[in-house]
């Protein structure tokens, strides 16, 4: 019986040591948007436009820690729907009916799809536009 108590106490002490590492995944809530993106194409709409833009004209810089995006909009062509003017906006992601969607300042911009170096916002399901961004 004495050996059982020593064995049990040893197991309890070893199991309760304070060296357990807590592993956290900082990307658990990450959308993958962090950093600078350039709007390079706007297409769709009722009349079916397809406009390419040079990198640097419209830049969206996402900060995932603060959940905001700083938009620098230098577009001078009024014929191109460039979404939002320059400014700082809050953003979030939601899933609606299985589709991931981008929300900026409580405005749902549409379906969102992200690959390594490109993302699209697609509102064509409501006769809107499709916006393509690249790093």
């Amino acid at each position: 019986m004495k050996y059982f108590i020593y064995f049990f106490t040893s197991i309890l002490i070893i199991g309760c040591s304070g060296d357990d590492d807590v592993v956290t995944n900082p990307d658990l809530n990450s959308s993958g948007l962090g950093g600078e993106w350039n709007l390079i194409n706007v297409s769709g709409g009722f009349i079916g436009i397809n406009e390419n833009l040079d990198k640097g004209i419209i830049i969206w810089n996402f900060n995932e820690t603060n959940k905001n995006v700083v938009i620098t909009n230098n577009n001078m062509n009024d014929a191109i729907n460039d979404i939002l003017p320059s400014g700082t906006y809050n953003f979030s992601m939601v899933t609606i009916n299985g589709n991931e969607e981008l929300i900026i300042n409580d405005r749902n911009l549409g379906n969102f799809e992200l690959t390594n170096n490109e993302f699209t916002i697609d509102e064509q399901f409501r006769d809107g536009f499709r916006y393509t961004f690249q790093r």
Side-chain angles (χ1 to χ4, degrees):
M1 179 72 171
K2 185 168 47 170
Y3 292 111
F4 177 73
I5 291 173
Y6 287 126
F7 176 75
F8 181 73
T9 304
S10 298
I11 297 296
L12 186 60
I13 290 171
I14 292 170
C16 292
S17 67
D19 65 348
D20 292 340
D21 293 330
V22 176
V23 177
T24 59
N25 184 352
D27 295 330
L28 187 61
N29 294 318
S30 173
S31 63
L33 276 175
E36 188 174 287
W37 297 86
N38 292 273
L39 178 61
I40 60 157
N41 183 271
V42 178
S43 61
F46 184 71
I47 59 172
I49 68 162
N50 186 14
E51 294 287 337
N52 292 318
L53 293 100
D54 292 330
K55 285 186 175 182
I57 294 176
I58 300 174
I59 301 168
W60 289 24
N61 195 342
F62 287 89
N63 182 322
E64 291 194 294
T65 303
N66 298 332
K67 294 295 184 196
N68 67 24
V69 57
V70 176
I71 297 175
T72 304
N73 186 337
N74 296 311
N75 178 31
M76 298 299 169
N77 184 347
D78 291 337
I80 297 175
N81 183 336
D82 52 20
I83 311 175
L84 294 165
S86 294
T88 302
Y89 303 90
N90 296 321
F91 81 91
S92 62
M93 306 296 294
V94 297
T95 302
I96 299 174
N97 296 326
N99 296 313
E100 195 166 18
E101 300 189 12
L102 179 64
I103 310 294
I104 296 196
N105 273 13
D106 298 323
R107 177 181 165 198
N108 186 331
L109 296 183
N111 294 343
F112 172 83
E113 187 175 330
L114 174 69
T115 61
N116 288 336
N117 293 314
E118 186 172 284
F119 78 83
T120 58
I121 302 169
D122 192 346
E123 58 181 15
Q124 289 181 321
F125 60 92
R126 52 185 169 209
D127 285 334
F129 297 93
R130 178 180 174 94
Y131 305 97
T132 303
F133 291 79
Q134 285 184 346
R135 286 214 186 262

